[in-house]
Amino acid sequence: MYKRRDSALVNYTERNIVPFVFRFSDQPMLFRELMEANRAYVQGHNLENSVSGFRLSISRTYLVFGIAWNLVIAFASLLFHFILIKLDCHFLIVLSVVFTILFFSSFAMFKSILLELVTKRMIKKGWALHFPHFDFDKHHGEVSKYYSQSIEEDIKPKELQLYIINKLVA
């Protein structure tokens, strides 16, 4: 079967940026935490507070993003330098406001992409512990559905894992 190869940017991010920006717990993810995180991931909810086991350092995130942003802006400034010198200063003030807005909105996107990347990594790590015989990519949607059903049916926490595994096998 064909396996998707991650881009060099994703590999660089996982190797260098994620360990710098996030702090991870050594404790394994509990089954109920895995179920809550998987459900939030599948339903597209806010991932920052849904998954335990890691903390995001906002100051380090701003540092990394600021460095990347300045590299892009410096390159663009060098590229369009001769056009920028001839512009009116009032237009440059408006342009700086626009770029400030772009900075903070793109930071929010950068942060959400990092959170999604780390959340998926943490869920897969917990999945390997609690569901070693089931592929994450094939079954995480089903498990989320069965977990939601178990909440509706008031399944006890002790019987939850057996309930979900029985539903997967059936």
Side-chain angles (χ1 to χ4, degrees):
M1 187 172 182
Y2 175 74
K3 264 198 130 142
R4 192 193 91 182
R5 291 179 178 236
D6 290 332
S7 69
L9 183 62
V10 172
N11 288 334
Y12 178 80
T13 302
E14 285 190 353
R15 262 192 341 267
N16 298 323
I17 295 174
V18 167
F20 180 72
V21 171
F22 290 93
R23 296 290 172 243
F24 296 99
S25 171
D26 294 333
Q27 300 296 322
M29 188 179 281
L30 300 174
F31 185 75
R32 189 145 188 113
E33 291 173 344
L34 173 65
M35 293 295 99
E36 287 292 331
N38 185 49
R39 185 171 68 164
Y41 179 75
V42 168
Q43 294 177 350
H45 291 188
N46 182 11
L47 298 175
E48 188 169 7
N49 299 324
S50 300
V51 181
S52 61
F54 67 87
R55 282 184 41 166
L56 173 71
S57 172
I58 295 293
S59 59
R60 289 183 177 204
T61 307
Y62 269 115
L63 178 68
V64 168
F65 184 73
I67 290 170
W69 178 264
N70 282 319
L71 288 175
V72 169
I73 292 297
F75 179 73
S77 295
L78 288 174
L79 195 62
F80 298 109
H81 178 70
F82 295 107
I83 297 171
L84 291 173
I85 0 180
K86 296 177 183 176
L87 291 178
D88 183 37
C89 67
H90 294 93
F91 182 72
L92 290 176
I93 292 170
V94 171
L95 202 59
S96 68
V97 169
V98 168
F99 276 104
T100 302
I101 291 169
L102 284 173
F103 175 81
F104 286 107
S105 61
S106 58
F107 174 76
M109 290 175 20
F110 175 74
K111 181 179 158 188
S112 72
I113 289 170
L114 279 179
L115 282 170
E116 186 174 336
L117 191 71
V118 170
T119 298
K120 189 170 183 178
R121 180 203 289 183
M122 295 296 291
I123 291 173
K124 281 186 172 185
K125 188 177 175 184
W127 190 277
L129 179 67
H130 295 290
F131 295 112
H133 302 293
F134 297 99
D135 184 41
F136 171 78
D137 295 322
K138 288 182 182 177
H139 299 289
H140 75 277
E142 292 176 69
V143 169
S144 174
K145 183 178 77 173
Y146 297 145
Y147 178 65
S148 296
Q149 287 175 358
S150 72
I151 291 174
E152 291 172 6
E153 296 176 14
D154 266 348
I155 302 296
K156 294 178 182 159
K158 291 181 182 180
E159 301 168 356
L160 181 62
Q161 189 169 6
L162 183 62
Y163 173 82
I164 291 175
I165 289 176
N166 284 339
K167 287 279 195 177
L168 280 173
V169 172

